Amino acid sequence: MSLIFNKREIYTSPKEAFKFSLKSVDDLKTDCLFVLDANVLLLPFTTDGKSVEEIKRIYTTLVNEDRLYIPSQAAREYLDNRSTKLTDLYKLISDKSSQNFKYVCPHPLLSGMDEYAELEQLEDNLKEALKSYRNKLQQTLMSVKNWGWNDPVSKMYHEVLDGRILDDDHIDVQIVEDDLKRRNDHKIPPGYKDGSKEANQAGDLLIWHEILYLAKQQNKDVIFVSGDAKSDWFHKSDKKAIYPRFELVDEFREETQGKTFHIMSLSQVLSIFEASDEVVSDVESSEEKAAIKDTPEAKQEKVIEGHDVTSQYSELLGTPNDHLLLQTSSTWKQKQGLDTDTYMVSELDSYGKIVAKYEIYDSTEMRPPFSREVTYRKFANKI
């Protein structure tokens, strides 16, 4: 469809839109409704226990004031993705159990040395410690497996959010489908950016219809709590979400007779309700990681598996403290009096993205004094 007149479709009452003044968050936070998106419901699975407790405290306050709601569509999307969060956690712990430690090989020439005897004792102690560590890992994995659907986050939601799911019986799917086509034709948010999806293309629009219906029914301003920073929800600067699309703000104003619509992240909501700096920082970190994972680049990144060799080679390679080094393959050869192990190693940043790859050569002379030399080559990210 032609876009020649699409602005008339988007801004149906420009006079009212021109003079509309948006209330600030501070002005409406004590009386408005808070609506939770699916990604916000999933976020606590990647935070710590202290953050979950603080989220529970604030949600409980809002529920007691009858100001917290979850769209049915957001609940469906949460239920559809919750298992991924739990399996990711299980894999994170499970992968630690496969880490190996290289011990010094026995050598007759060293057998009479006091230092070597002490080293052997330390190795024995280390083996016992690693055995206990792996046993605890297995116990932790079993506990996670036994959660079923009663993990700490789900239990908190059962306790606090029971009865807060909106009833969407008023939704006419044919009307929503027609509206989605109209928005796609005229590039009207939300939803038109999801046109390439194979499924759930109307997910954002269904949530939007539920928000509009709720606001009209209760005659209230709304803060939509979401980590979705797609460009059909936000105006952006340098890829950072700045504020909600004015088309959304104006449509909300028109549908609700002058009410205000804001979008905030969970960390921002925690901040305005005076959560501790530690909790806000923890949730912000989880939001940043989730945002990176949702980028097209991150989705195309292959999952990498290997042994953690960070402690062995981080100093040699000069990698940041929060980066991980994974050995993905190795070869061995003896040539010209050298015993050489060659390792392919990938460097992952704190978000799990590969930022560099290395080939490490660990060579030891086969005759006394058994000198050792470790060198490496660094490759571009794609090799």
Side-chain angles (χ1 to χ4, degrees):
M1 179 178 289
S2 171
L3 298 179
I4 294 174
F5 299 109
N6 76 315
K7 296 305 177 186
R8 294 178 65 88
E9 186 74 21
I10 296 172
Y11 301 110
T12 57
S13 55
K15 289 182 180 180
E16 296 300 319
F18 193 81
K19 68 180 182 180
F20 177 63
S21 179
L22 199 70
K23 297 178 190 174
S24 71
V25 170
D26 283 341
D27 288 338
L28 56 81
K29 68 181 182 181
T30 58
D31 188 57
C32 71
L33 306 179
F34 288 82
V35 178
L36 305 181
D37 200 0
N39 51 65
V40 167
L41 292 170
L42 293 166
L43 198 65
F45 286 97
T46 60
T47 63
D48 62 23
K50 187 174 182 179
S51 296
V52 172
E53 284 301 312
E54 192 72 344
I55 291 168
K56 178 182 178 180
R57 177 186 70 82
I58 292 170
Y59 284 0
T60 299
T61 298
L62 292 173
V63 167
N64 290 339
E65 296 172 354
D66 197 24
R67 296 200 293 132
L68 187 67
Y69 295 92
I70 301 168
S72 286
Q73 181 63 24
R76 293 185 184 100
E77 293 178 11
Y78 160 76
L79 294 171
D80 198 41
N81 288 280
R82 175 177 56 171
S83 60
T84 301
K85 296 298 182 181
L86 293 172
T87 54
D88 284 350
L89 174 61
Y90 188 92
K91 186 177 186 304
L92 178 68
I93 301 169
S94 180
D95 285 349
K96 295 295 183 182
S97 64
S98 64
Q99 294 181 124
N100 292 323
F101 185 85
K102 296 182 72 174
Y103 299 98
V104 176
C105 296
H107 196 287
L109 193 62
L110 303 175
S111 59
M113 295 175 58
D114 292 341
E115 294 87 351
Y116 183 65
E118 293 176 5
L119 179 61
E120 286 185 310
Q121 182 60 54
L122 289 171
E123 282 192 351
D124 289 340
N125 296 341
L126 182 57
K127 288 174 183 176
E128 285 299 315
L130 286 173
K131 182 179 178 181
S132 297
Y133 173 74
R134 291 191 175 105
N135 286 338
K136 286 299 179 184
L137 276 176
Q138 293 304 315
Q139 292 173 21
T140 303
L141 285 171
M142 185 57 65
S143 295
V144 171
K145 188 175 181 179
N146 289 337
W147 279 347
W149 299 115
N150 288 313
D151 57 88
V153 176
S154 297
K155 287 175 69 175
M156 184 267 283
Y157 287 162
H158 296 160
E159 181 181 343
V160 177
L161 299 181
D162 182 38
R164 307 315 297 179
I165 311 298
L166 293 172
D167 186 345
D168 65 350
D169 288 346
H170 62 89
I171 295 289
D172 185 324
V173 293
Q174 186 58 56
I175 291 176
V176 174
E177 186 173 347
D178 292 342
D179 190 26
L180 181 62
K181 183 179 185 306
R182 178 183 70 90
R183 290 172 187 268
N184 286 337
D185 288 342
H186 295 284
K187 309 298 182 189
I188 302 174
Y192 77 89
K193 287 287 187 180
D194 292 332
S196 60
K197 284 185 176 180
E198 294 182 1
N200 199 36
Q201 292 181 14
D204 285 353
L205 186 55
L206 284 166
I207 290 173
W208 182 239
H209 276 247
E210 291 189 69
I211 290 173
L212 292 175
Y213 185 83
L214 173 68
K216 286 187 286 186
Q217 289 292 108
Q218 298 206 19
N219 193 31
K220 292 282 189 177
D221 304 303
V222 166
I223 291 177
F224 181 41
V225 189
S226 176
D228 192 342
K230 292 200 300 290
S231 56
D232 62 343
W233 283 103
F234 276 97
H235 291 291
K236 292 185 173 184
S237 176
D238 195 23
K239 297 184 179 181
K240 293 182 179 179
I242 305 300
Y243 34 75
R245 290 281 293 263
F246 187 73
E247 299 96 317
L248 297 173
V249 172
D250 189 53
E251 182 180 354
F252 188 90
R253 171 201 61 78
E254 189 165 346
E255 291 286 334
T256 61
Q257 304 299 310
K259 295 300 180 183
T260 289
F261 175 74
H262 282 285
I263 304 177
M264 299 181 71
S265 67
L266 179 57
S267 61
Q268 290 172 327
V269 171
L270 293 173
S271 181
I272 66 172
F273 285 105
E274 300 181 347
S276 69
D277 291 342
E278 179 185 355
V279 166
V280 172
S281 178
D282 176 53
V283 174
E284 279 181 341
S285 176
S286 292
E287 288 170 340
E288 290 169 1
K289 292 177 182 178
I292 288 176
K293 286 182 180 179
D294 284 339
T295 62
E297 295 83 2
K299 289 179 179 178
Q300 292 171 5
E301 188 73 64
K302 292 182 179 178
V303 175
I304 183 170
E305 296 182 358
H307 300 304
D308 185 352
V309 291
T310 307
S311 59
Q312 291 97 309
Y313 298 117
S314 60
E315 184 175 351
L316 170 72
L317 303 178
T319 55
N321 291 335
D322 60 346
H323 282 206
L324 181 70
L325 295 173
L326 288 184
Q327 175 193 317
T328 57
S329 66
S330 65
T331 58
W332 168 77
K333 69 177 181 180
Q334 292 181 336
K335 186 177 180 180
Q336 296 179 344
L338 291 176
D339 184 323
T340 302
D341 293 307
T342 302
Y343 305 111
M344 292 303 302
V345 173
S346 293
E347 178 185 351
L348 282 66
D349 65 13
S350 58
Y351 301 116
K353 183 178 180 181
I354 300 173
V355 294
K357 294 185 179 181
Y358 305 86
E359 192 169 51
I360 298 177
Y361 313 101
D362 195 336
S363 301
T364 303
E365 291 183 352
M366 298 169 63
R367 295 183 178 86
F370 305 107
S371 299
R372 181 187 178 205
E373 182 181 29
V374 182
T375 58
Y376 69 92
R377 285 196 302 162
K378 183 176 182 179
F379 298 90
N381 191 2
K382 297 180 180 179
I383 62 171

